[in-house]
Amino acid sequence: MRCANCGNELKAGSLYCDVCGHPVQIVPDYNEFDDYLDNLVGNDDRRTDGQKTAKLVSDRTIRFDEPVREQLHSAGQRNGQKPDRMSQYENKQAQTGKQQSQTKQLCDEKPQSDGQRAKRAQQKKIIIISAVVCAVAIVILIAAITRNVSRSHDNSFDYQVKQAKAAYSAGNINSAVSYYEKALSIDSDNTDVRFALADIYMSKKDYDAALVLYQEIINIDPKSKEAYKKLISIYESKKDYDAIVALRESAKDASVLKLFADYTVSKPQFSKSSGKYGETIELSIDADSDTKIYYSYDSDDPLTRGERYYSPITLDKEGTYEITAVAVDDRGIKSEVASAKYEIEFEAPDAPEIDPDGGTFGAQTDITITVPENCKVYYTWDSSDPSAASTEYTAPIPVPEGNNVLSVIAIDQNTGKCSDIYRSRFEFYMN
């Protein structure tokens, strides 16, 4: 500790400076909080009823009695100081006499009773506890407000999107994804957020995750051309043309279907329309020039269970045919399956025309038969039914002698159909 007047290092316990004789300034223990509490509880050790609180001496010096003053004066003389230095000290003491008197008055006051001190301590304790409770309440209130704000943000779609965009701009991709997913949990039908998420997955080459999001967008908005374009692009990169075809088949909007123009193979066309035919037919199948055609007589999957088409198909037997056909390009993109149903039921040829048409004859007579187109004619004279095993008509037939029945039938050589049997009686007797 140094002297406040000359800066000399003071010895412990000194009441004055050994060099200049300046009194040592001793600062008493002082607690401002105690004064504050005293003011709050309306109590002060330094005042009595009817008196105002008196402050300590302003410079917080200790009042010296007469013997001490004499010691200071003697010390000053020993150190060669002028006598008027002590006079200055006395003048200073005189100026603070009033304050010292007030301090002495306070020191002379009777101490408070134990009950008063206990009451004062209790009041201080109550105030301290109240302050602590208030502080805790404020902390709880702040925590509650913070929690409510946090809950408000958790339930705010706009806040989640804003945070996602900020995180993405800052390069925090995982945080952006988390915020976007939280936004979708709030608004599950939002397509803009799905597009943003899908773009992130596309940048990370996580195509499967992006596919799911684009498909969800289509389910929400079947007219979303942008979602269809993205899906087509992904499937094209994977060369998954079957998936593109399936996607095309799921599209209903006309403007969306136009997106698949480069991924569409025309359906095969049949040269004859479905229907019933009474003759053999030749059936041709046509498709785009850069495609292969596969067809089947009895299957709805001509690609795997049919055969390659090279030339027209002949339907030359009676029955029902259900022909299916599909065209496939070099990428493996298939057309829709084309189908047609044909019923073949050949018409019987007309019965042959006979000349003369039966009768009784007295002279030799030849019978002429008109043969229907594509047919052969067979006949018998014994009333039996003719067939392809019977005698074939190739030239006029002479009427045999006696009473005979001519039976004639025409058989179509293309269809195997038989005409009705012609029968007529011929009598011929020689004179």
Side-chain angles (χ1 to χ4, degrees), residues 90-371:
E90 290 175 351
N91 291 336
K92 186 175 181 180
Q93 287 294 92
Q95 291 174 0
T96 59
K98 184 178 179 179
Q99 293 176 340
Q100 292 173 346
S101 176
Q102 291 175 347
T103 301
K104 184 176 183 302
Q105 183 180 0
L106 290 173
C107 293
D108 292 341
E109 290 177 358
K110 297 174 67 176
Q112 292 181 341
S113 66
D114 292 342
Q116 290 175 326
R117 286 195 295 271
K119 181 179 180 181
R120 180 177 173 230
Q122 183 66 23
Q123 290 174 330
K124 286 185 177 182
K125 183 177 180 180
I126 292 173
I127 291 173
I128 293 172
I129 292 174
S130 299
V132 172
V133 170
C134 289
V136 172
I138 291 172
V139 171
I140 293 174
L141 179 60
I142 293 173
I145 293 173
T146 302
R147 185 168 57 253
N148 289 336
V149 170
S150 178
R151 288 178 179 175
S152 175
H153 287 167
D154 286 344
N155 295 323
S156 171
F157 173 84
D158 292 337
Y159 174 81
Q160 299 299 328
V161 172
K162 179 180 178 181
Q163 292 298 105
K165 290 179 178 179
Y168 185 77
S169 297
N172 298 326
I173 304 302
N174 291 335
S175 295
V177 170
S178 179
Y179 280 119
Y180 276 133
E181 289 178 345
K182 181 65 176 178
L184 282 181
S185 70
I186 298 172
D187 184 0
S188 60
D189 290 336
N190 190 282
T191 56
D192 291 337
V193 170
R194 282 184 168 83
F195 272 119
L197 261 178
D199 288 343
I200 291 176
Y201 287 131
M202 288 290 286
S203 67
K204 297 171 64 176
K205 300 188 184 303
D206 189 351
Y207 299 122
D208 291 337
L211 279 172
V212 172
L213 288 165
Y214 289 133
Q215 188 62 59
E216 289 177 353
I217 292 171
I218 290 174
N219 293 339
I220 296 170
D221 181 12
K223 297 182 179 181
S224 178
K225 294 172 67 175
E226 186 63 24
Y228 274 103
K229 288 179 181 178
K230 296 290 187 180
L231 284 174
I232 291 172
S233 174
I234 294 173
Y235 289 138
E236 174 68 38
S237 67
K238 294 183 174 183
K239 299 189 181 303
D240 189 352
Y241 297 109
D242 287 340
I244 294 178
V245 172
L247 187 63
R248 180 195 65 201
E249 292 174 351
S250 70
K252 305 299 180 184
D253 185 73
S255 62
V256 170
L257 287 171
K258 292 179 180 179
L259 300 175
F260 296 92
D262 294 336
Y263 304 94
T264 302
V265 174
S266 298
K267 184 167 64 173
Q269 299 293 322
F270 298 105
S271 60
K272 294 184 180 295
S273 59
S274 298
K276 185 175 182 179
Y277 292 85
E279 59 184 359
T280 297
I281 61 174
E282 296 288 326
L283 184 64
S284 299
I285 306 175
D286 295 321
D288 294 340
S289 58
D290 58 347
T291 61
K292 299 180 181 67
I293 302 173
Y294 295 86
Y295 73 97
S296 172
Y297 288 100
D298 55 6
S299 173
D300 57 0
D301 186 8
L303 183 60
T304 59
R305 300 186 62 183
E307 55 186 291
R308 176 82 179 273
Y309 173 83
Y310 291 101
S311 59
I313 304 167
T314 301
L315 305 181
D316 57 357
K317 291 182 174 57
E318 285 190 315
T320 299
Y321 301 85
E322 187 166 359
I323 309 299
T324 58
V326 65
V328 184
D329 68 7
D330 293 337
R331 297 172 297 180
I333 296 179
K334 300 177 295 185
S335 70
E336 294 181 34
V337 175
S339 64
K341 189 174 183 178
Y342 303 95
E343 183 179 356
I344 305 300
E345 185 177 350
F346 299 130
E347 295 179 359
D350 294 332
E353 294 182 3
I354 309 299
D355 183 30
D357 186 12
T360 301
F361 303 92
Q364 183 67 49
T365 304
D366 291 335
I367 301 172
T368 303
I369 303 175
T370 302
V371 179

Side-chain angles (χ1 to χ4, degrees), residues 361-408:
F361 303 92
Q364 183 67 49
T365 304
D366 291 335
I367 301 172
T368 303
I369 303 175
T370 302
V371 179
E373 186 179 2
N374 298 323
C375 292
K376 288 184 178 182
V377 172
Y378 300 91
Y379 65 92
T380 63
W381 284 104
D382 57 2
S383 299
S384 63
D385 292 342
S387 66
S390 303
T391 304
E392 180 181 358
Y393 173 82
T394 57
I397 306 170
V399 176
E401 188 175 1
N403 186 0
N404 300 286
V405 175
L406 177 64
S407 301
V408 181

Side-chain angles (χ1 to χ4, degrees), residues 81-98:
Q81 294 177 343
K82 295 180 180 181
D84 59 354
R85 187 179 296 273
M86 182 59 70
S87 298
Q88 292 175 358
Y89 169 75
E90 290 175 351
N91 291 336
K92 186 175 181 180
Q93 287 294 92
Q95 291 174 0
T96 59
K98 184 178 179 179

